[in-house]
Amino acid sequence: MQRLLHHALDLLLPQRCVGCKALGENLCQSCIGQFTVLPTLRCPLCNTAVAKQYTLCRQCSIKYSKLRGIVTIGAYAGPLRQAIHQFKYQNRTSLAQDLGALLSQIVIEAEIPPCAAIVPVPLHPKREAARGFNQASLLAQAASERLHIPVLTDGIVRTVDTPPQVGLSREQRLRNVAGAFSARRGAFSHGGVLLVDDVATTGATLIACARQLVQEGGAPWIWGAVLARGG
């Protein structure tokens, strides 16, 4: 019911750009042009130089259960941060289409190997019920329409309602989400997975999900796709 109400409000209210407030669209081209693009030839986890854009370095790839890389639109700042905040906390769910389209374009440009499934990072049921939607699921559905890759939402669940990651160090974030997810055994053995979320700061949540998708779900490899990288 909450999701339907949010969608109805999105349709009834006139669209304004989340960045400059101009009428007509959720995100205007001028504000999109202000997104802060991040270096693509650096490991997104440790900042080591890499040969291929968005990929993890060899050490991080081995350490973090076949998480091969993380594509992103840009830094969690400026109009992109405003868009994510409006989408996630102000119930502006129509932004999922705009942001999902931008994320899909980055995935295509990154030329990652063909994936068998798109998997949104799950929220704990209590958190999703309180918010009324899972922002990662809406993004995954929007990306699926453009990438023509099916979304699988029932293969991994969040079993622990962990405290927020804000303010925690990298090591604390990794410990906070360790063991918080569980994947259905063998559910992803048919091919690689594109793991979708809104923001990654240290990558701890993506790492925790990827570990279960590989170890329990049987996925041969994982690529992360997030709207923004935090600092």
Side-chain angles (χ1 to χ4, degrees):
M1 179 61 72
Q2 283 181 305
R3 181 175 171 182
L4 289 173
L5 179 59
H6 297 158
H7 182 64
L9 289 173
D10 278 339
L11 293 175
L12 290 171
L13 295 174
Q15 287 187 334
R16 286 185 179 273
C17 174
V18 294
C20 65
K21 310 304 179 187
L23 280 170
E25 51 194 339
N26 283 319
L27 265 172
C28 72
Q29 290 302 310
S30 176
C31 285
I32 290 172
Q34 295 176 46
F35 290 175
T36 304
V37 179
L38 295 170
T40 62
L41 292 177
R42 291 280 175 179
C43 173
L45 296 181
C46 71
N47 206 39
T48 299
V50 292
K52 187 177 179 181
Q53 61 179 356
Y54 301 108
T55 55
L56 268 61
C57 68
R58 179 175 174 78
Q59 283 189 321
C60 286
S61 183
I62 293 171
K63 185 176 181 181
Y64 297 123
S65 296
K66 299 184 181 179
L67 178 62
R68 290 189 175 177
I70 302 172
V71 300
T72 183
I73 296 172
Y76 187 53
L80 182 55
R81 183 183 186 279
Q82 291 173 288
I84 294 170
H85 192 275
Q86 288 281 321
F87 169 45
K88 189 173 178 180
Y89 300 115
Q90 302 299 320
N91 302 323
R92 196 162 170 180
T93 53
S94 63
L95 276 162
Q97 291 299 318
D98 302 83
L99 295 170
L102 292 171
L103 188 60
S104 300
Q105 187 59 41
I106 296 295
V107 169
I108 292 168
E109 291 174 2
E111 297 182 336
I112 68 173
C115 300
I118 298 175
V119 175
V121 170
L123 288 176
H124 189 271
K126 285 170 56 179
R127 189 75 59 88
E128 185 168 350
R131 181 168 294 162
F133 61 93
N134 176 1
Q135 68 278 1
S137 290
L138 297 185
L139 290 171
Q141 292 292 343
S144 173
E145 294 170 9
R146 293 162 176 82
L147 298 174
H148 307 292
I149 303 170
V151 177
L152 295 182
T153 59
D154 61 350
I156 185 169
V157 295
R158 191 166 193 144
T159 57
V160 180
D161 188 13
T162 55
Q165 300 274 64
V166 177
L168 301 181
S169 68
R170 178 180 178 79
E171 291 72 22
Q172 289 172 326
R173 286 170 182 253
L174 287 166
R175 288 196 299 269
N176 188 41
V177 293
F181 302 92
S182 179
R184 181 157 48 90
R185 192 157 298 279
F188 301 98
S189 58
H190 53 292
V193 169
L194 184 67
L195 182 62
V196 171
D197 206 1
D198 56 341
V199 180
T201 301
T202 62
T205 299
L206 294 177
I207 289 166
C209 283
R211 181 173 288 115
Q212 300 312 114
L213 288 169
V214 171
Q215 294 180 355
E216 295 181 336
W221 50 265
I222 312 293
W223 267 84
V226 298
L227 298 177
R229 292 294 310 276

